[in-house]
Amino acid sequence: AQSVTQPDIHITVSEGASLELRCNYSYGATPYLFWYVQSPGQGLQLLLKYFSGDTLVQGIKGFEAEFKRSQSSFNLRKPSVHWSDAAEYFCAVYGDDKIIFGKGTRLHILP
Amino acid sequence: KAGVTQTPRYLIKTRGQQVTLSCSPISGHRSVSWYQQTPGQGLQFLFEYFSETQRNKGNFPGRFSGRQFSNSRSEMNVSTLELGDSALYLCASSFGDRGVYNEQFFGPGTRLTVL
């Protein structure tokens, strides 16, 4: 069965600093991977997805993620965060007809 | 274009009661999925519907059920409520079949509190 681990429950970065959110997955076959963002009181919004092909995926709001099969990772990055990026971020893996979400990483931004 | 709407937004029930939540997908979307979000368990997949047929179901007891109507609107029902059912229930819609392969658009959720 597939699983997703987001090791960091909370991360705090200064506005303008770079960001990397970690995601490790477990799945026997080629995974379909997603990153979602949830702002307070909002539903989830898809940031980016990886199905196949180029392992560096570009998403919305300036985010990107890199799929590394050897490390079973799909880390999310942004070169310069904005105060509006404060939210909770979820990594997810789809396989065997179901989607599994990580427990989320809450991002705090210092002014 | 209107987004995914969920009604009601907030609901308070007592143990043993049943509840029905409603989801209206984006116009033209035929796939609807439901998720439960709790602080302890995180986001968990409940079920997925496409063209009035349940395509997938998560690991939830039979007290959780759902359906989809011909206009793609969906309802989920939870019978014999337990305290642990307190959660944010999210609905997501997508245009085509195999909803998770297509971009899903999420509603704001229904916050259910069971007392």
Side-chain angles (χ1 to χ4, degrees):
Chain A
Q2 66 266 46
S3 66
V4 179
T5 302
Q6 292 181 248
D8 304 305
I9 298 174
H10 293 271
I11 280 188
T12 301
V13 299
S14 298
E15 190 170 16
S18 63
L19 170 71
E20 182 168 31
L21 301 183
R22 296 182 292 164
C23 172
N24 293 100
Y25 69 90
S26 173
Y27 184 61
T30 300
Y32 299 105
L33 298 161
F34 306 82
W35 274 100
Y36 286 88
V37 60
Q38 186 176 34
S39 299
Q42 303 294 314
L44 276 74
Q45 182 181 22
L46 179 67
L47 285 175
L48 46 78
K49 61 188 176 188
Y50 171 78
F51 287 172
S52 65
D54 193 347
T55 56
L56 185 62
V57 181
Q58 301 297 320
I60 62 171
K61 305 186 179 189
F63 286 93
E64 66 177 27
E66 187 170 12
F67 170 61
K68 292 186 177 179
R69 185 187 299 276
S70 61
Q71 298 177 19
S72 297
S73 70
F74 189 55
N75 294 347
L76 181 71
R77 300 194 294 246
K78 187 170 184 178
S80 176
V81 298
H82 186 262
W83 64 266
S84 60
D85 293 326
E88 189 154 22
Y89 292 79
F90 295 90
C91 181
V93 59
Y94 180 84
D96 297 333
D97 285 333
K98 58 183 178 181
I99 186 166
I100 302 294
F101 288 89
K103 293 293 180 70
T105 296
R106 186 167 294 279
L107 175 63
H108 306 270
I109 307 294
L110 294 175
Chain B
K1 188 185 254 189
V4 178
T5 57
Q6 293 187 244
T7 56
R9 292 292 310 279
Y10 302 91
L11 204 50
I12 299 175
K13 292 285 187 179
T14 57
R15 279 181 298 173
Q17 288 187 308
Q18 75 166 19
V19 67
T20 298
L21 312 181
S22 180
C23 172
S24 293
I26 291 171
S27 178
H29 285 193
R30 296 167 64 193
S31 177
V32 172
S33 298
W34 288 90
Y35 300 85
Q36 182 196 64
Q37 186 176 23
T38 60
Q41 298 299 316
L43 270 160
Q44 294 182 281
F45 170 72
L46 278 159
F47 14 70
E48 177 190 0
Y49 287 89
F50 180 80
S51 292
E52 303 178 65
T53 301
Q54 187 179 92
R55 303 301 289 262
N56 290 301
K57 190 177 193 304
N59 294 327
F60 279 83
R63 300 186 297 108
F64 291 81
S65 63
R67 58 178 175 169
Q68 187 181 30
F69 301 96
S70 58
N71 61 358
S72 295
R73 191 177 70 84
S74 177
E75 289 181 348
M76 67 163 282
N77 183 275
V78 188
S79 62
T80 320
L81 283 166
E82 300 177 359
L83 295 179
D85 297 333
S86 294
L88 181 67
Y89 290 89
L90 294 167
C91 167
S93 75
S94 61
F95 177 72
D97 190 5
R98 307 182 83 186
V100 291
Y101 286 98
N102 302 298
E103 181 173 353
Q104 295 185 81
F105 293 85
F106 283 79
T110 294
R111 173 76 62 185
L112 171 65
T113 302
V114 181
L115 302 176

